[in-house]
Amino acid sequence: DVKVTQSSRYLVKRTGEKVFLECVQDMDHENMFWYRQDPGLGLRLIYFSYDVKMKEKGDIPEGYSVSREKKERFSLILESASTNQTSMYLCASSKGIQGIWNQPQHFGDGTRLSIL
Amino acid sequence: AQSVTQPDIHITVSEGASLELRCNYSYGATPYLFWYVQSPGQGLQLLLKYFSGDTLVQGIKGFEAEFKRSQSSFNLRKPSVHWSDAAEYFCAVGMDSSYKLIFGSGTRLLVRP
Protein backbone atom coordinates (compact mmCIF):
# COMPACT_ATOMS: atom_id res chain seq x y z
CA ASP A 1 0.00 0.00 0.00
CA VAL A 2 1.06 3.54 -0.67
CA LYS A 3 2.02 5.36 2.47
CA VAL A 4 1.93 9.12 2.63
CA THR A 5 3.15 10.41 5.96
CA GLN A 6 2.71 13.92 7.24
CA SER A 7 5.11 14.82 10.03
CA SER A 8 2.57 16.34 12.42
CA ARG A 9 -1.13 15.69 13.06
CA TYR A 10 -1.57 18.88 15.06
CA LEU A 11 0.52 22.03 15.06
CA VAL A 12 0.10 25.34 16.84
CA LYS A 13 2.15 28.33 15.75
CA ARG A 14 2.14 32.08 16.25
CA THR A 15 1.42 34.83 13.77
CA GLY A 16 4.51 35.81 11.82
CA GLU A 17 6.37 32.55 12.37
CA LYS A 18 7.83 30.59 9.47
CA VAL A 19 6.11 27.21 9.44
CA PHE A 20 7.24 24.02 7.76
CA LEU A 21 4.90 21.13 6.99
CA GLU A 22 6.60 17.96 5.85
CA CYS A 23 5.29 15.11 3.73
CA VAL A 24 6.99 11.86 2.76
CA GLN A 25 5.75 9.12 0.41
CA ASP A 26 7.22 5.66 0.04
CA MET A 27 6.00 4.58 -3.40
CA ASP A 28 8.43 6.42 -5.65
CA HIS A 29 5.64 8.64 -6.98
CA GLU A 30 6.62 11.47 -9.27
CA ASN A 31 3.76 13.80 -8.33
CA MET A 32 3.14 15.34 -4.96
CA PHE A 33 0.46 17.81 -3.93
CA TRP A 34 -0.42 20.12 -1.06
CA TYR A 35 -4.06 20.93 -0.40
CA ARG A 36 -5.85 23.04 2.10
CA GLN A 37 -9.21 21.81 3.41
CA ASP A 38 -11.75 24.18 4.91
CA PRO A 39 -15.40 23.46 5.79
CA GLY A 40 -17.71 24.02 2.84
CA LEU A 41 -14.85 24.66 0.45
CA GLY A 42 -13.60 21.13 -0.15
CA LEU A 43 -9.96 20.70 -1.06
CA ARG A 44 -8.10 23.54 -2.70
CA LEU A 45 -4.75 22.96 -4.35
CA ILE A 46 -1.92 25.11 -3.04
CA TYR A 47 1.06 23.75 -4.98
CA PHE A 48 2.06 20.61 -6.73
CA SER A 49 5.33 19.11 -7.90
CA TYR A 50 5.81 16.73 -10.80
CA ASP A 51 9.51 16.11 -10.28
CA VAL A 52 12.38 16.93 -7.98
CA LYS A 53 12.94 20.69 -7.83
CA MET A 54 9.92 21.25 -10.07
CA LYS A 55 6.80 22.96 -8.83
CA GLU A 56 3.62 24.49 -10.13
CA LYS A 57 1.22 26.87 -8.45
CA GLY A 58 -2.23 25.64 -7.65
CA ASP A 59 -5.34 27.67 -7.01
CA ILE A 60 -4.30 29.39 -3.77
CA PRO A 61 -0.48 29.74 -3.63
CA GLU A 62 -0.37 33.16 -1.99
CA GLY A 63 1.45 33.11 1.32
CA TYR A 64 2.93 29.66 0.69
CA SER A 65 6.02 28.19 -0.91
CA VAL A 66 7.20 24.62 -1.40
CA SER A 67 10.40 22.65 -1.60
CA ARG A 68 11.13 19.32 -3.23
CA GLU A 69 14.79 18.43 -2.91
CA LYS A 70 14.21 14.67 -2.89
CA LYS A 71 11.64 12.63 -4.77
CA GLU A 72 10.00 11.24 -1.65
CA ARG A 73 9.69 14.49 0.28
CA PHE A 74 7.58 17.57 -0.35
CA SER A 75 7.56 20.46 2.09
CA LEU A 76 5.03 23.24 2.42
CA ILE A 77 6.30 26.51 3.87
CA LEU A 78 4.26 29.31 5.34
CA GLU A 79 6.64 32.23 5.00
CA SER A 80 4.96 34.38 7.65
CA ALA A 81 2.02 32.62 9.21
CA SER A 82 -1.25 34.48 9.53
CA THR A 83 -4.46 33.55 11.31
CA ASN A 84 -6.28 33.01 8.00
CA GLN A 85 -3.93 30.12 7.32
CA THR A 86 -5.46 28.16 10.18
CA SER A 87 -6.71 25.06 8.39
CA MET A 88 -6.32 21.36 7.69
CA TYR A 89 -3.47 20.68 5.28
CA LEU A 90 -3.42 17.49 3.24
CA CYS A 91 -0.54 16.07 1.27
CA ALA A 92 -1.05 13.62 -1.60
CA SER A 93 1.02 11.77 -4.16
CA SER A 94 0.40 10.02 -7.46
CA LYS A 95 2.30 8.28 -10.21
CA GLY A 96 3.42 10.52 -13.02
CA ILE A 97 3.30 8.61 -16.27
CA GLN A 98 3.58 10.88 -19.26
CA GLY A 99 0.33 10.90 -21.20
CA ILE A 100 -1.56 8.91 -18.58
CA TRP A 101 -3.44 11.49 -16.61
CA ASN A 102 -5.94 9.34 -14.76
CA GLN A 103 -3.80 8.38 -11.80
CA PRO A 104 -5.55 8.49 -8.43
CA GLN A 105 -3.99 10.46 -5.64
CA HIS A 106 -3.06 8.92 -2.30
CA PHE A 107 -3.45 11.07 0.78
CA GLY A 108 -1.80 11.49 4.13
CA ASP A 109 -3.85 11.88 7.32
CA GLY A 110 -3.51 15.64 7.34
CA THR A 111 -2.01 18.29 9.61
CA ARG A 112 -4.39 20.49 11.53
CA LEU A 113 -2.57 23.80 11.82
CA SER A 114 -3.67 26.57 14.18
CA ILE A 115 -2.13 30.00 13.92
CA LEU A 116 -2.62 32.11 17.05
CA ALA B 1 -13.55 26.44 -16.26
CA GLN B 2 -13.73 22.93 -14.91
CA SER B 3 -15.76 22.47 -11.74
CA VAL B 4 -17.39 19.87 -9.55
CA THR B 5 -20.65 20.39 -7.70
CA GLN B 6 -21.90 18.33 -4.80
CA PRO B 7 -25.29 19.88 -4.13
CA ASP B 8 -25.91 18.21 -0.77
CA ILE B 9 -23.84 19.50 2.14
CA HIS B 10 -25.33 17.00 4.59
CA ILE B 11 -27.32 13.83 4.12
CA THR B 12 -28.82 11.71 6.89
CA VAL B 13 -29.97 8.14 6.29
CA SER B 14 -31.03 5.31 8.54
CA GLU B 15 -28.79 2.31 8.90
CA GLY B 16 -29.80 -0.28 6.31
CA ALA B 17 -31.34 2.27 3.98
CA SER B 18 -30.06 2.95 0.49
CA LEU B 19 -27.86 5.92 -0.30
CA GLU B 20 -27.23 8.16 -3.27
CA LEU B 21 -24.77 11.06 -3.20
CA ARG B 22 -24.90 13.45 -6.11
CA CYS B 23 -22.01 14.81 -8.12
CA ASN B 24 -22.12 16.99 -11.22
CA TYR B 25 -19.10 18.15 -13.16
CA SER B 26 -18.30 20.70 -15.80
CA TYR B 27 -15.69 19.68 -18.34
CA GLY B 28 -15.72 19.75 -22.12
CA ALA B 29 -14.18 16.38 -22.80
CA THR B 30 -14.51 12.95 -21.24
CA PRO B 31 -13.45 13.36 -17.63
CA TYR B 32 -11.64 11.07 -15.25
CA LEU B 33 -13.92 10.76 -12.22
CA PHE B 34 -13.20 9.74 -8.66
CA TRP B 35 -15.00 9.35 -5.37
CA TYR B 36 -13.06 9.63 -2.12
CA VAL B 37 -14.15 9.14 1.49
CA GLN B 38 -12.74 10.90 4.52
CA SER B 39 -13.36 9.48 7.97
CA PRO B 40 -13.00 11.85 10.92
CA GLY B 41 -9.40 12.80 11.59
CA GLN B 42 -8.08 10.99 8.55
CA GLY B 43 -7.00 11.67 5.03
CA LEU B 44 -8.95 10.79 1.91
CA GLN B 45 -9.33 7.21 0.75
CA LEU B 46 -10.17 6.31 -2.84
CA LEU B 47 -13.54 4.55 -3.16
CA LEU B 48 -13.72 4.14 -6.92
CA LYS B 49 -12.76 5.69 -10.24
CA TYR B 50 -14.09 5.95 -13.78
CA PHE B 51 -11.90 6.39 -16.84
CA SER B 52 -13.75 4.77 -19.72
CA GLY B 53 -15.81 1.73 -20.65
CA ASP B 54 -18.64 0.45 -18.51
CA THR B 55 -20.43 3.42 -17.02
CA LEU B 56 -21.32 1.56 -13.82
CA VAL B 57 -18.24 1.31 -11.64
CA GLN B 58 -17.81 -0.86 -8.57
CA GLY B 59 -15.68 0.27 -5.68
CA ILE B 60 -14.62 -0.74 -2.22
CA LYS B 61 -16.91 -1.08 0.81
CA GLY B 62 -19.92 -1.97 -1.38
CA PHE B 63 -20.11 1.39 -3.18
CA GLU B 64 -20.85 1.90 -6.85
CA ALA B 65 -21.16 4.94 -9.09
CA GLU B 66 -22.72 5.55 -12.46
CA PHE B 67 -21.34 7.91 -15.08
CA LYS B 68 -24.06 9.65 -17.09
CA ARG B 69 -22.56 11.79 -19.82
CA SER B 70 -25.89 13.35 -20.81
CA GLN B 71 -26.37 14.64 -17.28
CA SER B 72 -22.69 15.36 -16.53
CA SER B 73 -23.16 13.33 -13.37
CA PHE B 74 -21.30 10.68 -11.42
CA ASN B 75 -23.53 9.76 -8.49
CA LEU B 76 -22.37 7.44 -5.74
CA ARG B 77 -24.70 4.73 -4.47
CA LYS B 78 -24.85 2.05 -1.84
CA PRO B 79 -27.82 -0.32 -1.41
CA SER B 80 -27.58 -0.65 2.37
CA VAL B 81 -25.72 1.82 4.55
CA HIS B 82 -23.78 0.76 7.64
CA TRP B 83 -23.06 2.99 10.64
CA SER B 84 -19.36 2.88 9.72
CA ASP B 85 -20.15 4.66 6.44
CA ALA B 86 -20.65 7.93 8.32
CA ALA B 87 -17.97 10.19 6.86
CA GLU B 88 -17.44 12.96 4.35
CA TYR B 89 -17.50 12.07 0.69
CA PHE B 90 -15.73 13.96 -2.07
CA CYS B 91 -16.22 13.75 -5.79
CA ALA B 92 -13.27 14.77 -7.98
CA VAL B 93 -12.59 15.22 -11.68
CA GLY B 94 -9.33 14.89 -13.55
CA MET B 95 -8.57 16.11 -17.01
CA ASP B 96 -6.36 15.34 -19.97
CA SER B 97 -2.93 16.94 -19.91
CA SER B 98 -2.96 17.43 -16.16
CA TYR B 99 -2.20 15.41 -13.05
CA LYS B 100 -4.32 17.72 -10.97
CA LEU B 101 -7.76 16.90 -9.59
CA ILE B 102 -10.61 19.28 -8.94
CA PHE B 103 -12.62 18.42 -5.86
CA GLY B 104 -16.19 19.14 -4.95
CA SER B 105 -16.98 20.73 -1.60
CA GLY B 106 -17.98 17.41 -0.07
CA THR B 107 -21.11 15.77 1.35
CA ARG B 108 -21.21 14.79 5.00
CA LEU B 109 -23.11 11.55 5.58
CA LEU B 110 -24.77 10.94 8.93
CA VAL B 111 -26.19 7.50 9.71
CA ARG B 112 -29.11 7.09 12.12
CA PRO B 113 -29.11 3.88 14.14
Side-chain angles (χ1 to χ4, degrees), chain A residues 9 31 33 35 37 40-43 45 48 56-57 90 95-105 107-109, chain B residues 32 34 36 38 40-46 49 51 88 90 94-106:
Chain A
R9 292 298 300 274
N31 302 323
F33 306 81
Y35 292 91
Q37 182 181 14
L41 297 178
L43 276 70
L45 182 64
F48 96 97
E56 190 171 309
K57 290 181 180 178
L90 290 167
K95 288 187 68 63
I97 305 171
Q98 185 64 29
I100 300 178
W101 311 107
N102 54 18
Q103 300 302 309
Q105 294 180 13
F107 285 82
D109 286 340
Chain B
Y32 307 116
F34 305 82
Y36 284 86
Q38 184 181 33
Q42 296 187 11
L44 277 67
Q45 180 185 19
L46 180 68
K49 58 190 178 186
F51 300 152
E88 189 153 22
F90 292 93
M95 301 152 286
D96 278 331
S97 304
S98 175
Y99 295 117
K100 295 188 285 189
L101 297 179
I102 297 173
F103 286 84
S105 55

Side-chain angles (χ1 to χ4, degrees), chain B residues 12-77:
Chain B
T12 301
V13 300
S14 298
E15 192 167 14
S18 63
L19 170 71
E20 183 170 32
L21 302 182
R22 296 183 290 166
C23 173
N24 292 95
Y25 67 89
S26 172
Y27 180 56
T30 299
Y32 307 116
L33 295 161
F34 305 82
W35 273 100
Y36 284 86
V37 61
Q38 184 181 33
S39 298
Q42 296 187 11
L44 277 67
Q45 180 185 19
L46 180 68
L47 280 176
L48 48 76
K49 58 190 178 186
Y50 171 79
F51 300 152
S52 63
D54 193 347
T55 56
L56 186 62
V57 180
Q58 302 297 320
I60 62 170
K61 304 186 181 189
F63 286 92
E64 66 178 26
E66 186 171 13
F67 170 57
K68 292 186 178 180
R69 184 187 302 277
S70 61
Q71 299 177 19
S72 297
S73 70
F74 188 55
N75 294 349
L76 182 70
R77 300 194 294 246

Side-chain angles (χ1 to χ4, degrees), chain A residues 42-107:
Chain A
L43 276 70
R44 293 179 292 167
L45 182 64
I46 304 172
Y47 266 98
F48 96 97
S49 169
Y50 51 90
D51 201 352
V52 174
K53 297 190 186 295
M54 306 303 287
K55 62 185 179 184
E56 190 171 309
K57 290 181 180 178
D59 300 317
I60 52 165
E62 296 77 20
Y64 303 94
S65 63
V66 290
S67 173
R68 191 153 180 215
E69 297 296 320
K70 293 184 178 182
K71 190 175 185 179
E72 68 271 18
R73 185 179 297 271
F74 192 34
S75 303
L76 179 69
I77 304 156
L78 284 65
E79 298 292 343
S80 177
S82 64
T83 55
N84 63 12
Q85 292 177 309
T86 291
S87 188
M88 170 72 90
Y89 290 87
L90 290 167
C91 175
S93 72
S94 71
K95 288 187 68 63
I97 305 171
Q98 185 64 29
I100 300 178
W101 311 107
N102 54 18
Q103 300 302 309
Q105 294 180 13
H106 302 264
F107 285 82

